[in-house]
Amino acid sequence: LTGIPREQRAFQYLLAHAIPGDPHHILQTFDQWCYHCEHLSCVGPAKGRIVERLLLERAPLRVLELGTYCGYGTVLLAQGLPPGARLYTVEGDPRHAAVAEKVIRLAGFDEHTVELIVGPSEEVIPQLQEKHGLMKADFVFMDHWKRCYLRDLKLLESHQLLAEGATILADNVLFPGAPHFLQYAKTCGRYRCKVHRASLEY
């Protein structure tokens, strides 16, 4: 009705209520908006705890996120990085990327810590080494179009972008579902698989 996209409305709510430079409070404010105002397809606090735990266990120095959306997952990942780590996040929709950029900077992360790359993942992934300096990713978080999960995993493999022992965390593989990705991960012999049970966000 307002002509303002809901992602932009959520950002306006953040500006009014969140503490700048406080990533935890940014996420809490996002959660308040999603619970009480409008649903956004963010990771959310329940699944966010799984992400936080894995980051703490793995302490990755080079992290790749596919599917920035509004920047919720990006802030979640960035606040869990060890010192000196760098996060590369890829968003295909320029409108979402514009909101995410503001959210990431509002949370206090500069371009040295978080690099936002705008473009389709199938075009960005082959350029990550040469154009963006990401030689190997220790941790990959997939939260973009489910139909792209398998294609992009194979792209990461073919461009040798996965460090030895890398962790790949993929959201919503059961619902809405990424069955071909799951089947490949379980049967190709390259990965040890674990399914983390969680409810849908919010």
Side-chain angles (χ1 to χ4, degrees):
L1 289 175
T2 61
I4 302 170
R6 60 179 171 167
E7 293 82 11
Q8 189 64 42
R9 291 197 293 271
F11 177 68
Q12 289 173 350
Y13 183 83
L14 279 187
L15 275 181
H17 297 92
I19 301 168
D22 185 337
H24 184 67
H25 197 258
I26 297 277
L27 296 177
Q28 278 188 327
T29 310
F30 247 130
D31 293 335
Q32 287 169 0
W33 170 266
C34 293
Y35 277 124
H36 304 297
C37 301
E38 294 179 278
H39 179 271
L40 293 174
S41 299
C42 301
V43 179
K47 289 189 286 187
R49 284 190 284 276
I50 297 170
V51 177
E52 288 172 331
R53 189 182 77 240
L54 286 170
L55 282 174
L56 194 64
E57 287 173 7
R58 305 291 194 273
L61 289 175
R62 295 292 174 264
V63 177
L64 174 64
E65 179 186 35
L66 300 176
T68 317
Y69 189 40
C70 289
Y72 183 105
T74 315
V75 172
L76 180 71
L77 290 164
Q79 75 166 358
L81 294 178
R86 186 165 169 79
L87 167 60
Y88 302 80
T89 183
V90 180
E91 175 53 49
D93 187 323
R95 294 164 302 176
H96 293 162
V99 173
E101 178 85 43
K102 291 184 279 193
V103 169
I104 294 162
R105 305 310 169 211
L106 184 68
F109 300 109
D110 62 19
E111 290 168 8
H112 297 294
T113 305
V114 179
E115 181 178 345
L116 173 59
I117 305 163
V118 184
S121 54
E122 71 271 22
E123 293 178 15
V124 172
I125 289 171
Q127 301 177 330
L128 282 171
Q129 288 174 326
E130 201 169 306
K131 194 172 176 184
H132 301 281
L134 174 59
M135 305 317 290
K136 302 271 186 189
D138 307 304
F139 192 102
V140 179
F141 182 44
M142 293 186 169
D143 195 15
H144 55 326
W145 294 107
K146 313 311 156 208
R147 65 176 183 269
C148 301
Y149 280 16
L150 179 56
R151 179 202 69 196
D152 288 352
L153 177 60
K154 289 184 173 180
L155 271 176
L156 290 169
E157 290 174 350
S158 65
H159 286 86
Q160 299 181 327
L161 278 156
L162 297 174
E164 193 174 335
T167 299
I168 296 151
L169 184 61
D171 195 14
N172 298 334
V173 291
L174 299 180
F175 182 84
H180 300 299
F181 167 84
L182 265 188
Q183 184 183 18
Y184 176 77
K186 287 178 178 177
T187 59
C188 74
R190 296 182 180 188
Y191 305 102
R192 290 198 309 264
C193 293
K194 180 177 181 182
V195 176
H196 300 267
R197 298 280 173 178
S199 61
L200 278 177
E201 56 276 354
Y202 310 114

